[in-house]
Structures are given as C-alpha cells and as structure tokens.
Amino acid sequence: MLRPWHYSLVLDKDSSSSIHQQLIGHFRTMIEGGAWLGGSALPSSRDIAQRLGINRKTVSRVYEELSALGLIYTQPKRGTFVSNALPSASNESETYPPLQRQQVDPYSNSIHHLIQKTSLHHIRRAALHMHKLQAHDYDATGLFNLKHMLANLLAHERRFLVSPEHIACGSWLALQYAVIQSIRPEDGLLLADHHTSAVMIKSLQKQGISVIQLPESNGNQAINFTEQIEKYCINYPVAAVWCNSSTLFNNESDAAGQTLLIQKLADYHLLLIDDQRGSFPLSQQNHPPLASKYAKSMMLGSLYGNFCDTFNLCFVASNENLSSEFLSALNEQHQQSSLLNMLAQSELIKRGEYKKLLTGIYRFMQTPDAKLLTPA
C-alpha cells in the first residue's frame, strides 16, 4: 500500500514556480498545516526523485532547507522525520496565504500526551485503505459522512442548525484561502474586531480587500461594536464583518445586544464571518454563535479549538449555500493528504473517540495544577 505522501506529492509542470520552490511550498504546507504529524517518517530523497522523475540533488537541497528551518530532522541510518516541535515563526509560503497561529495558553502543549499518535496513524492507514483514494476522489464517502457528523455535533453542542451541504471542512490554510477569495473587494470594506490577528488582516489585504480593524471598547463591548459598524456603514460601502461573537456576548442574557447587532447587519445587508475557531467544543461555557441567528453568515469552527495543532480539522458552516467562488477556491487548495486527515477524523467520531479525547482535554484544563505539567 502506498504511503499518504504518494497521493499528495505532485508537481505542476505548467507552474511558473521552479521544482525546488514547489517542493518547498508543498512540504511546508503539509507540515505547518498539521497534515503530517510530528515524528512521521518522510521518504528518502532517492524515493522522491524516482517518484517524480527529477534530479536527486534537487530533493536533497530541499531537505537541507527544511532542516535549516527546523521543520524536519535526519537521524543517521534511520531516515528523515517531521519535527515534533515546529518553530514558532516561519517565513510565509510562496504558494499559499500564511497559516494563522492563534495565541494559546503556554501549558496547552502539555496535553499532547492525551493524543495517541500511534492510534491516529493507524486510523489514517485504515481510512486510506478503506477509500482507496484517487486523484479525483476529494469528495469521497468519508467526507460526506464527516459533514453529516459535523452537522449533528453543531446541532447538539452549539444549537446551530445547518445543513450538511452547507458545511466545508479541511485544513485552516485551505479554508482561509477560500473564504478570502469569496469576498469581492469591489463590494466594499471589511470590518474586523480587535481580536482578528494581524496575519489574517495581512492575508485579506494581499487580496485587495480594504480592512478596517475596530478598536477595543472600554464599556459595553457589544453595543460599542454595533455603533462602530453603523458609523462606517453610513459613511462608506461595507461588505462584511469579521468577528468572534463569543467575545462580544459573554452569556445568553445579552439577547437584546445580539438582536440589535443582527438588525444592523440586516439593515446594511452585510456578510457576517463569525470566527469561532478558538472556542473549545463541548465546553459548558459555549453558547449558540451569532451566526446561528443571522441568515447571511459563515461560521468558522475547529474540532479541537486551540488545543490540538498536530491533528486539527477546521470547518466552515453557512446558513446559505456556499458560494461558487468559495467552492472553486477551496477546490484549488484540496490535496489528498488533507482528505486523508478528514477521513481519519470521520473514523474518530464514528468510534466515539473524538468526544473521549475532548473530555480528557477539558478535564485536564480544569486541573488546578495543570500549569505544573508544562514541559521545560
């Protein structure tokens, strides 16, 4: 049986980028995006050269650069492996928009012992064997099942009723690119709350989208946020609002503030992009996102919140049909290793291991001495 990298390692002969640049970009995308887990064995330079029909020296030079970046390491007589601890900052990919890295608690890395990597490798191999992936099989049966399971999870855990056909899942790198590509610069400004990362804003601006980041409010954050939106809508053409509604509304008693904000969004026909990726699933503090109450919206979510970078999966859920621009851009970014990751997640959810993992992480985070377990 072929290894997962066989399905994703493809060169574009018509690309303006050199073979060296394509390989660097591909390896960085797979490693930084979490598609290849830390400790995973990589093919030898000879294997890649034979597989792609290229000069072995080119592959060796790629491996040397990746090693210098701290993304891989080589052990004599054993082989080349993905680094367990990736560098905190790396140069931007030449092919894709940069991967957004959210701020997380410094002790969150100590929960990685809860994630059994050997089990995850086994599930990936099982998914690969079960679905016998081909180059055109991105929307395979496993992905169909995953969308339905995500719809059920959203309905039961977040009270967000959405059709499986209105859900797209994959790596955040691919989804970020698709969301940005679906926003048309000519429609107007994008207003972002103060939590939106500088990396995301830079990615939006690279696509020609004019972004205004709204300042943090001292008083009632939700009301001030609504007033700021109305001020810009009166004076400028505004197309969309990017925010994290869980930071605007701390509890369900803020119903009046939610109603007011929804009314303003509707008055000006704005697209709401509710970024909920940082919310920890199954937490008792989770409330229905604002996107669940406003028709023209997209909710960005993550199966593991900020707590599992090595095997995470993000998704976009929309109250409306996903636009053709979004789907087209997402298809451009689809790679078989990403599909393999999603199929494995589907197997995790079906076996009930997903909730067990989340419950274990949540209990760990509630432990008073969790910080004492922080690795040096």
Side-chain angles (χ1 to χ4, degrees), residues 223-251:
I223 292 178
N224 290 338
F225 185 72
T226 304
E227 291 175 347
Q228 290 172 354
I229 290 175
E230 184 171 31
K231 180 184 72 173
Y232 280 102
C233 287
I234 291 174
N235 295 285
Y236 305 97
V238 178
V241 174
W242 191 305
C243 70
N244 180 352
S245 64
S246 62
T247 62
L248 296 174
F249 308 101
N250 297 322
N251 53 63

PDB file of all heavy atoms in Angstrom, residues 223-251:
ATOM      1  N   ILE A 223     -22.465  46.697  22.364  1.00  0.00           N
ATOM      2  CA  ILE A 223     -23.152  47.917  21.918  1.00  0.00           C
ATOM      3  C   ILE A 223     -22.195  48.829  21.167  1.00  0.00           C
ATOM      4  O   ILE A 223     -22.515  49.366  20.097  1.00  0.00           O
ATOM      5  CB  ILE A 223     -23.779  48.653  23.119  1.00  0.00           C
ATOM      6  CG1 ILE A 223     -24.925  47.816  23.696  1.00  0.00           C
ATOM      7  CG2 ILE A 223     -24.269  50.037  22.714  1.00  0.00           C
ATOM      8  CD1 ILE A 223     -25.579  48.431  24.908  1.00  0.00           C
ATOM      9  N   ASN A 224     -20.985  48.995  21.704  1.00  0.00           N
ATOM     10  CA  ASN A 224     -19.995  49.848  21.041  1.00  0.00           C
ATOM     11  C   ASN A 224     -19.592  49.272  19.676  1.00  0.00           C
ATOM     12  O   ASN A 224     -19.397  50.014  18.719  1.00  0.00           O
ATOM     13  CB  ASN A 224     -18.754  50.002  21.926  1.00  0.00           C
ATOM     14  CG  ASN A 224     -19.025  50.842  23.157  1.00  0.00           C
ATOM     15  OD1 ASN A 224     -19.966  51.628  23.180  1.00  0.00           O
ATOM     16  ND2 ASN A 224     -18.221  50.670  24.192  1.00  0.00           N
ATOM     17  N   PHE A 225     -19.493  47.968  19.602  1.00  0.00           N
ATOM     18  CA  PHE A 225     -19.154  47.315  18.342  1.00  0.00           C
ATOM     19  C   PHE A 225     -20.244  47.577  17.302  1.00  0.00           C
ATOM     20  O   PHE A 225     -19.959  47.893  16.146  1.00  0.00           O
ATOM     21  CB  PHE A 225     -18.980  45.812  18.574  1.00  0.00           C
ATOM     22  CG  PHE A 225     -18.514  45.040  17.365  1.00  0.00           C
ATOM     23  CD1 PHE A 225     -17.216  45.162  16.904  1.00  0.00           C
ATOM     24  CD2 PHE A 225     -19.381  44.193  16.698  1.00  0.00           C
ATOM     25  CE1 PHE A 225     -16.778  44.449  15.785  1.00  0.00           C
ATOM     26  CE2 PHE A 225     -18.955  43.478  15.589  1.00  0.00           C
ATOM     27  CZ  PHE A 225     -17.650  43.608  15.141  1.00  0.00           C
ATOM     28  N   THR A 226     -21.499  47.489  17.734  1.00  0.00           N
ATOM     29  CA  THR A 226     -22.630  47.750  16.838  1.00  0.00           C
ATOM     30  C   THR A 226     -22.633  49.198  16.363  1.00  0.00           C
ATOM     31  O   THR A 226     -22.867  49.488  15.183  1.00  0.00           O
ATOM     32  CB  THR A 226     -23.952  47.428  17.548  1.00  0.00           C
ATOM     33  OG1 THR A 226     -23.923  46.078  18.017  1.00  0.00           O
ATOM     34  CG2 THR A 226     -25.132  47.606  16.609  1.00  0.00           C
ATOM     35  N   GLU A 227     -22.356  50.122  17.279  1.00  0.00           N
ATOM     36  CA  GLU A 227     -22.328  51.545  16.921  1.00  0.00           C
ATOM     37  C   GLU A 227     -21.205  51.837  15.926  1.00  0.00           C
ATOM     38  O   GLU A 227     -21.370  52.641  14.997  1.00  0.00           O
ATOM     39  CB  GLU A 227     -22.158  52.390  18.183  1.00  0.00           C
ATOM     40  CG  GLU A 227     -23.380  52.364  19.095  1.00  0.00           C
ATOM     41  CD  GLU A 227     -23.149  53.118  20.395  1.00  0.00           C
ATOM     42  OE1 GLU A 227     -21.965  53.449  20.684  1.00  0.00           O
ATOM     43  OE2 GLU A 227     -24.127  53.375  21.133  1.00  0.00           O
ATOM     44  N   GLN A 228     -20.047  51.207  16.117  1.00  0.00           N
ATOM     45  CA  GLN A 228     -18.932  51.419  15.193  1.00  0.00           C
ATOM     46  C   GLN A 228     -19.275  50.903  13.793  1.00  0.00           C
ATOM     47  O   GLN A 228     -18.950  51.544  12.787  1.00  0.00           O
ATOM     48  CB  GLN A 228     -17.682  50.707  15.729  1.00  0.00           C
ATOM     49  CG  GLN A 228     -17.098  51.352  16.975  1.00  0.00           C
ATOM     50  CD  GLN A 228     -15.989  50.515  17.590  1.00  0.00           C
ATOM     51  OE1 GLN A 228     -15.717  49.395  17.156  1.00  0.00           O
ATOM     52  NE2 GLN A 228     -15.350  51.046  18.610  1.00  0.00           N
ATOM     53  N   ILE A 229     -19.951  49.757  13.724  1.00  0.00           N
ATOM     54  CA  ILE A 229     -20.357  49.214  12.427  1.00  0.00           C
ATOM     55  C   ILE A 229     -21.293  50.179  11.716  1.00  0.00           C
ATOM     56  O   ILE A 229     -21.129  50.469  10.519  1.00  0.00           O
ATOM     57  CB  ILE A 229     -21.038  47.835  12.614  1.00  0.00           C
ATOM     58  CG1 ILE A 229     -20.005  46.795  13.038  1.00  0.00           C
ATOM     59  CG2 ILE A 229     -21.736  47.395  11.327  1.00  0.00           C
ATOM     60  CD1 ILE A 229     -20.599  45.439  13.355  1.00  0.00           C
ATOM     61  N   GLU A 230     -22.269  50.700  12.457  1.00  0.00           N
ATOM     62  CA  GLU A 230     -23.226  51.618  11.841  1.00  0.00           C
ATOM     63  C   GLU A 230     -22.534  52.896  11.365  1.00  0.00           C
ATOM     64  O   GLU A 230     -22.849  53.422  10.289  1.00  0.00           O
ATOM     65  CB  GLU A 230     -24.332  51.960  12.822  1.00  0.00           C
ATOM     66  CG  GLU A 230     -25.415  52.845  12.214  1.00  0.00           C
ATOM     67  CD  GLU A 230     -26.614  53.004  13.105  1.00  0.00           C
ATOM     68  OE1 GLU A 230     -26.435  52.974  14.341  1.00  0.00           O
ATOM     69  OE2 GLU A 230     -27.719  53.159  12.578  1.00  0.00           O
ATOM     70  N   LYS A 231     -21.573  53.388  12.118  1.00  0.00           N
ATOM     71  CA  LYS A 231     -20.863  54.604  11.738  1.00  0.00           C
ATOM     72  C   LYS A 231     -20.156  54.427  10.394  1.00  0.00           C
ATOM     73  O   LYS A 231     -20.252  55.283   9.506  1.00  0.00           O
ATOM     74  CB  LYS A 231     -19.833  54.977  12.824  1.00  0.00           C
ATOM     75  CG  LYS A 231     -19.046  56.231  12.501  1.00  0.00           C
ATOM     76  CD  LYS A 231     -17.979  56.501  13.552  1.00  0.00           C
ATOM     77  CE  LYS A 231     -16.837  55.497  13.448  1.00  0.00           C
ATOM     78  NZ  LYS A 231     -15.706  55.836  14.366  1.00  0.00           N
ATOM     79  N   TYR A 232     -19.482  53.278  10.217  1.00  0.00           N
ATOM     80  CA  TYR A 232     -18.777  53.050   8.958  1.00  0.00           C
ATOM     81  C   TYR A 232     -19.747  52.781   7.817  1.00  0.00           C
ATOM     82  O   TYR A 232     -19.504  53.187   6.679  1.00  0.00           O
ATOM     83  CB  TYR A 232     -17.791  51.879   9.107  1.00  0.00           C
ATOM     84  CG  TYR A 232     -16.502  52.292   9.777  1.00  0.00           C
ATOM     85  CD1 TYR A 232     -16.252  52.008  11.115  1.00  0.00           C
ATOM     86  CD2 TYR A 232     -15.530  52.989   9.071  1.00  0.00           C
ATOM     87  CE1 TYR A 232     -15.077  52.388  11.731  1.00  0.00           C
ATOM     88  CE2 TYR A 232     -14.344  53.381   9.678  1.00  0.00           C
ATOM     89  CZ  TYR A 232     -14.117  53.081  10.997  1.00  0.00           C
ATOM     90  OH  TYR A 232     -12.948  53.469  11.611  1.00  0.00           O
ATOM     91  N   CYS A 233     -20.852  52.100   8.103  1.00  0.00           N
ATOM     92  CA  CYS A 233     -21.836  51.806   7.048  1.00  0.00           C
ATOM     93  C   CYS A 233     -22.499  53.084   6.531  1.00  0.00           C
ATOM     94  O   CYS A 233     -22.877  53.161   5.360  1.00  0.00           O
ATOM     95  CB  CYS A 233     -22.905  50.843   7.568  1.00  0.00           C
ATOM     96  SG  CYS A 233     -22.324  49.145   7.781  1.00  0.00           S
ATOM     97  N   ILE A 234     -22.657  54.085   7.390  1.00  0.00           N
ATOM     98  CA  ILE A 234     -23.262  55.353   6.971  1.00  0.00           C
ATOM     99  C   ILE A 234     -22.321  56.115   6.040  1.00  0.00           C
ATOM    100  O   ILE A 234     -22.751  56.747   5.070  1.00  0.00           O
ATOM    101  CB  ILE A 234     -23.613  56.207   8.210  1.00  0.00           C
ATOM    102  CG1 ILE A 234     -24.776  55.559   8.975  1.00  0.00           C
ATOM    103  CG2 ILE A 234     -23.975  57.632   7.803  1.00  0.00           C
ATOM    104  CD1 ILE A 234     -25.095  56.250  10.286  1.00  0.00           C
ATOM    105  N   ASN A 235     -21.024  56.016   6.319  1.00  0.00           N
ATOM    106  CA  ASN A 235     -20.051  56.837   5.589  1.00  0.00           C
ATOM    107  C   ASN A 235     -19.322  56.107   4.463  1.00  0.00           C
ATOM    108  O   ASN A 235     -18.773  56.765   3.573  1.00  0.00           O
ATOM    109  CB  ASN A 235     -19.013  57.395   6.578  1.00  0.00           C
ATOM    110  CG  ASN A 235     -19.625  58.352   7.579  1.00  0.00           C
ATOM    111  OD1 ASN A 235     -19.939  59.496   7.258  1.00  0.00           O
ATOM    112  ND2 ASN A 235     -19.808  57.895   8.824  1.00  0.00           N
ATOM    113  N   TYR A 236     -19.298  54.776   4.484  1.00  0.00           N
ATOM    114  CA  TYR A 236     -18.539  54.027   3.493  1.00  0.00           C
ATOM    115  C   TYR A 236     -19.330  52.796   3.045  1.00  0.00           C
ATOM    116  O   TYR A 236     -20.194  52.307   3.777  1.00  0.00           O
ATOM    117  CB  TYR A 236     -17.192  53.545   4.078  1.00  0.00           C
ATOM    118  CG  TYR A 236     -16.334  54.643   4.648  1.00  0.00           C
ATOM    119  CD1 TYR A 236     -16.350  54.907   6.013  1.00  0.00           C
ATOM    120  CD2 TYR A 236     -15.497  55.412   3.839  1.00  0.00           C
ATOM    121  CE1 TYR A 236     -15.562  55.913   6.558  1.00  0.00           C
ATOM    122  CE2 TYR A 236     -14.706  56.410   4.380  1.00  0.00           C
ATOM    123  CZ  TYR A 236     -14.744  56.666   5.735  1.00  0.00           C
ATOM    124  OH  TYR A 236     -13.968  57.650   6.270  1.00  0.00           O
ATOM    125  N   PRO A 237     -19.002  52.273   1.870  1.00  0.00           N
ATOM    126  CA  PRO A 237     -19.591  50.985   1.484  1.00  0.00           C
ATOM    127  C   PRO A 237     -18.919  49.860   2.263  1.00  0.00           C
ATOM    128  O   PRO A 237     -17.687  49.732   2.241  1.00  0.00           O
ATOM    129  CB  PRO A 237     -19.292  50.896  -0.017  1.00  0.00           C
ATOM    130  CG  PRO A 237     -18.086  51.760  -0.221  1.00  0.00           C
ATOM    131  CD  PRO A 237     -18.193  52.871   0.781  1.00  0.00           C
ATOM    132  N   VAL A 238     -19.693  49.057   2.970  1.00  0.00           N
ATOM    133  CA  VAL A 238     -19.163  47.961   3.784  1.00  0.00           C
ATOM    134  C   VAL A 238     -19.773  46.658   3.283  1.00  0.00           C
ATOM    135  O   VAL A 238     -20.980  46.583   3.047  1.00  0.00           O
ATOM    136  CB  VAL A 238     -19.482  48.161   5.283  1.00  0.00           C
ATOM    137  CG1 VAL A 238     -18.964  46.985   6.098  1.00  0.00           C
ATOM    138  CG2 VAL A 238     -18.870  49.471   5.779  1.00  0.00           C
ATOM    139  N   ALA A 239     -18.924  45.631   3.127  1.00  0.00           N
ATOM    140  CA  ALA A 239     -19.391  44.350   2.587  1.00  0.00           C
ATOM    141  C   ALA A 239     -19.549  43.286   3.662  1.00  0.00           C
ATOM    142  O   ALA A 239     -20.473  42.477   3.602  1.00  0.00           O
ATOM    143  CB  ALA A 239     -18.427  43.848   1.517  1.00  0.00           C
ATOM    144  N   ALA A 240     -18.636  43.258   4.647  1.00  0.00           N
ATOM    145  CA  ALA A 240     -18.639  42.140   5.588  1.00  0.00           C
ATOM    146  C   ALA A 240     -18.078  42.565   6.942  1.00  0.00           C
ATOM    147  O   ALA A 240     -17.389  43.581   7.062  1.00  0.00           O
ATOM    148  CB  ALA A 240     -17.823  40.976   5.019  1.00  0.00           C
ATOM    149  N   VAL A 241     -18.408  41.759   7.952  1.00  0.00           N
ATOM    150  CA  VAL A 241     -17.900  41.953   9.316  1.00  0.00           C
ATOM    151  C   VAL A 241     -17.268  40.644   9.761  1.00  0.00           C
ATOM    152  O   VAL A 241     -17.888  39.577   9.664  1.00  0.00           O
ATOM    153  CB  VAL A 241     -19.027  42.342  10.285  1.00  0.00           C
ATOM    154  CG1 VAL A 241     -18.511  42.383  11.725  1.00  0.00           C
ATOM    155  CG2 VAL A 241     -19.629  43.682   9.899  1.00  0.00           C
ATOM    156  N   TRP A 242     -16.010  40.718  10.213  1.00  0.00           N
ATOM    157  CA  TRP A 242     -15.279  39.536  10.711  1.00  0.00           C
ATOM    158  C   TRP A 242     -15.115  39.701  12.218  1.00  0.00           C
ATOM    159  O   TRP A 242     -14.476  40.652  12.681  1.00  0.00           O
ATOM    160  CB  TRP A 242     -13.922  39.452  10.032  1.00  0.00           C
ATOM    161  CG  TRP A 242     -13.174  38.164  10.258  1.00  0.00           C
ATOM    162  CD1 TRP A 242     -12.843  37.597  11.439  1.00  0.00           C
ATOM    163  CD2 TRP A 242     -12.672  37.286   9.246  1.00  0.00           C
ATOM    164  NE1 TRP A 242     -12.160  36.431  11.244  1.00  0.00           N
ATOM    165  CE2 TRP A 242     -12.040  36.209   9.905  1.00  0.00           C
ATOM    166  CE3 TRP A 242     -12.680  37.307   7.852  1.00  0.00           C
ATOM    167  CZ2 TRP A 242     -11.422  35.169   9.219  1.00  0.00           C
ATOM    168  CZ3 TRP A 242     -12.064  36.266   7.175  1.00  0.00           C
ATOM    169  CH2 TRP A 242     -11.436  35.212   7.847  1.00  0.00           C
ATOM    170  N   CYS A 243     -15.699  38.804  12.999  1.00  0.00           N
ATOM    171  CA  CYS A 243     -15.616  38.941  14.455  1.00  0.00           C
ATOM    172  C   CYS A 243     -15.729  37.576  15.124  1.00  0.00           C
ATOM    173  O   CYS A 243     -15.999  36.567  14.473  1.00  0.00           O
ATOM    174  CB  CYS A 243     -16.713  39.874  14.972  1.00  0.00           C
ATOM    175  SG  CYS A 243     -18.380  39.181  14.867  1.00  0.00           S
ATOM    176  N   ASN A 244     -15.512  37.575  16.415  1.00  0.00           N
ATOM    177  CA  ASN A 244     -15.731  36.396  17.250  1.00  0.00           C
ATOM    178  C   ASN A 244     -16.864  36.741  18.203  1.00  0.00           C
ATOM    179  O   ASN A 244     -16.666  37.442  19.192  1.00  0.00           O
ATOM    180  CB  ASN A 244     -14.454  36.039  18.015  1.00  0.00           C
ATOM    181  CG  ASN A 244     -14.624  34.809  18.897  1.00  0.00           C
ATOM    182  OD1 ASN A 244     -15.725  34.292  19.062  1.00  0.00           O
ATOM    183  ND2 ASN A 244     -13.531  34.344  19.466  1.00  0.00           N
ATOM    184  N   SER A 245     -18.064  36.260  17.909  1.00  0.00           N
ATOM    185  CA  SER A 245     -19.232  36.670  18.688  1.00  0.00           C
ATOM    186  C   SER A 245     -19.168  36.190  20.128  1.00  0.00           C
ATOM    187  O   SER A 245     -19.803  36.768  21.007  1.00  0.00           O
ATOM    188  CB  SER A 245     -20.517  36.162  18.024  1.00  0.00           C
ATOM    189  OG  SER A 245     -20.570  34.748  18.016  1.00  0.00           O
ATOM    190  N   SER A 246     -18.391  35.134  20.404  1.00  0.00           N
ATOM    191  CA  SER A 246     -18.311  34.639  21.782  1.00  0.00           C
ATOM    192  C   SER A 246     -17.597  35.633  22.694  1.00  0.00           C
ATOM    193  O   SER A 246     -17.779  35.605  23.911  1.00  0.00           O
ATOM    194  CB  SER A 246     -17.597  33.288  21.821  1.00  0.00           C
ATOM    195  OG  SER A 246     -16.265  33.411  21.362  1.00  0.00           O
ATOM    196  N   THR A 247     -16.774  36.520  22.116  1.00  0.00           N
ATOM    197  CA  THR A 247     -16.115  37.544  22.929  1.00  0.00           C
ATOM    198  C   THR A 247     -16.987  38.789  23.081  1.00  0.00           C
ATOM    199  O   THR A 247     -16.766  39.587  23.984  1.00  0.00           O
ATOM    200  CB  THR A 247     -14.770  37.964  22.301  1.00  0.00           C
ATOM    201  OG1 THR A 247     -15.009  38.539  21.010  1.00  0.00           O
ATOM    202  CG2 THR A 247     -13.859  36.763  22.134  1.00  0.00           C
ATOM    203  N   LEU A 248     -17.972  38.948  22.197  1.00  0.00           N
ATOM    204  CA  LEU A 248     -18.878  40.090  22.292  1.00  0.00           C
ATOM    205  C   LEU A 248     -20.002  39.846  23.276  1.00  0.00           C
ATOM    206  O   LEU A 248     -20.452  40.753  23.975  1.00  0.00           O
ATOM    207  CB  LEU A 248     -19.476  40.404  20.914  1.00  0.00           C
ATOM    208  CG  LEU A 248     -18.513  40.860  19.825  1.00  0.00           C
ATOM    209  CD1 LEU A 248     -19.248  40.978  18.501  1.00  0.00           C
ATOM    210  CD2 LEU A 248     -17.880  42.196  20.195  1.00  0.00           C
ATOM    211  N   PHE A 249     -20.468  38.597  23.328  1.00  0.00           N
ATOM    212  CA  PHE A 249     -21.588  38.248  24.195  1.00  0.00           C
ATOM    213  C   PHE A 249     -21.146  37.137  25.131  1.00  0.00           C
ATOM    214  O   PHE A 249     -20.929  36.004  24.709  1.00  0.00           O
ATOM    215  CB  PHE A 249     -22.786  37.801  23.352  1.00  0.00           C
ATOM    216  CG  PHE A 249     -23.160  38.783  22.274  1.00  0.00           C
ATOM    217  CD1 PHE A 249     -22.782  38.561  20.960  1.00  0.00           C
ATOM    218  CD2 PHE A 249     -23.856  39.943  22.569  1.00  0.00           C
ATOM    219  CE1 PHE A 249     -23.112  39.452  19.956  1.00  0.00           C
ATOM    220  CE2 PHE A 249     -24.186  40.852  21.574  1.00  0.00           C
ATOM    221  CZ  PHE A 249     -23.817  40.608  20.269  1.00  0.00           C
ATOM    222  N   ASN A 250     -21.024  37.478  26.401  1.00  0.00           N
ATOM    223  CA  ASN A 250     -20.500  36.529  27.373  1.00  0.00           C
ATOM    224  C   ASN A 250     -21.521  35.504  27.839  1.00  0.00           C
ATOM    225  O   ASN A 250     -21.176  34.450  28.329  1.00  0.00           O
ATOM    226  CB  ASN A 250     -19.934  37.275  28.594  1.00  0.00           C
ATOM    227  CG  ASN A 250     -18.764  38.160  28.214  1.00  0.00           C
ATOM    228  OD1 ASN A 250     -17.962  37.784  27.372  1.00  0.00           O
ATOM    229  ND2 ASN A 250     -18.680  39.340  28.804  1.00  0.00           N
ATOM    230  N   ASN A 251     -22.792  35.834  27.742  1.00  0.00           N
ATOM    231  CA  ASN A 251     -23.824  34.902  28.178  1.00  0.00           C
ATOM    232  C   ASN A 251     -25.099  35.150  27.396  1.00  0.00           C
ATOM    233  O   ASN A 251     -25.223  36.126  26.653  1.00  0.00           O
ATOM    234  CB  ASN A 251     -24.092  35.052  29.689  1.00  0.00           C
ATOM    235  CG  ASN A 251     -24.400  36.497  30.072  1.00  0.00           C
ATOM    236  OD1 ASN A 251     -25.402  37.061  29.625  1.00  0.00           O
ATOM    237  ND2 ASN A 251     -23.537  37.105  30.878  1.00  0.00           N
TER     238      ASN A 251
END
